[in-house]
Amino acid sequence: VKMLHELRKPVPELKSFLKEEKCNVQKVQFFAPDEDMRLELMRELTRRYEDITVSNALPQNVEINQTGANKGEALLALADHLGLGRAQTVAFGDGLNDLPMVRDAGIGIAMENGAKETKAAADWIAPSCDEDGVAAGIEKFCLGR
């Protein structure tokens, strides 16, 4: 919750805000009051709009990005910029918003406490975040321990 207050700015009416500020939208994010509503919103948005990707990072939120604006594309663009191939990349993720990155990486690692879809796409399931799963993945795949 602290992160939400520090990194996000709630606005009373999105369309007016965007018009007034003359800004481009990178992501639309909102919070549903309960899990059933969140899942229904995600299904309905995906059904209605072909040019967006709907995901989430937190149990209560819904994230909307333009198709192609995702962590997988960013990972591959960064690798290309650094002169690395896909096989030389490793990515860790837990939420649905991490799914493209975990899927597109040379080695995709999902956290045990992550979304089932992200875990299904992973090459390896790391221990949970609370059990130092990222450290375990780094030791296994980057340090060869």
Side-chain angles (χ1 to χ4, degrees):
V1 176
K2 181 181 176 192
M3 174 190 76
L4 296 176
H5 292 291
E6 291 177 359
L7 299 177
R8 285 154 175 84
K9 177 184 178 182
V11 296
E13 206 283 309
L14 183 59
K15 191 184 267 187
S16 299
F17 173 79
L18 294 173
K19 195 175 199 177
E20 195 175 289
E21 296 293 320
K22 296 179 176 73
C23 57
N24 293 321
V25 177
Q26 295 176 337
K27 174 183 289 195
V28 173
Q29 185 176 153
F30 57 90
F31 291 83
D34 62 61
E35 180 70 3
D36 291 337
M37 179 181 277
R38 182 183 68 82
L39 293 172
E40 179 58 29
L41 286 168
M42 291 177 76
R43 280 190 295 272
E44 187 64 19
L45 287 165
T46 300
R47 185 186 70 75
R48 283 190 188 196
Y49 304 102
E50 296 175 4
D51 59 343
I52 65 170
T53 300
V54 180
S55 65
N56 72 307
L58 303 168
Q60 304 86 2
N61 84 324
V62 176
E63 298 180 6
I64 304 168
N65 289 331
Q66 184 176 6
T67 299
N70 63 62
K71 293 180 182 185
E73 294 292 330
L75 173 72
L76 297 177
L78 176 60
D80 184 59
H81 176 76
L82 296 172
L84 302 172
R86 170 183 268 158
Q88 295 171 287
T89 64
V90 177
F92 295 84
D94 60 354
L96 285 178
N97 64 341
D98 297 321
L99 175 60
M101 177 179 63
V102 169
R103 182 189 57 227
D104 293 347
I107 300 171
I109 301 171
M111 312 315 292
E112 178 58 43
N113 59 317
K116 66 181 181 201
E117 298 89 344
T118 304
K119 292 192 301 188
D123 299 302
W124 189 66
I125 306 297
S128 75
C129 296
D130 293 334
E131 299 173 280
D132 300 325
V134 173
I138 290 171
E139 287 178 352
K140 181 175 178 68
F141 293 101
C142 301
L143 302 177
R145 295 185 189 162

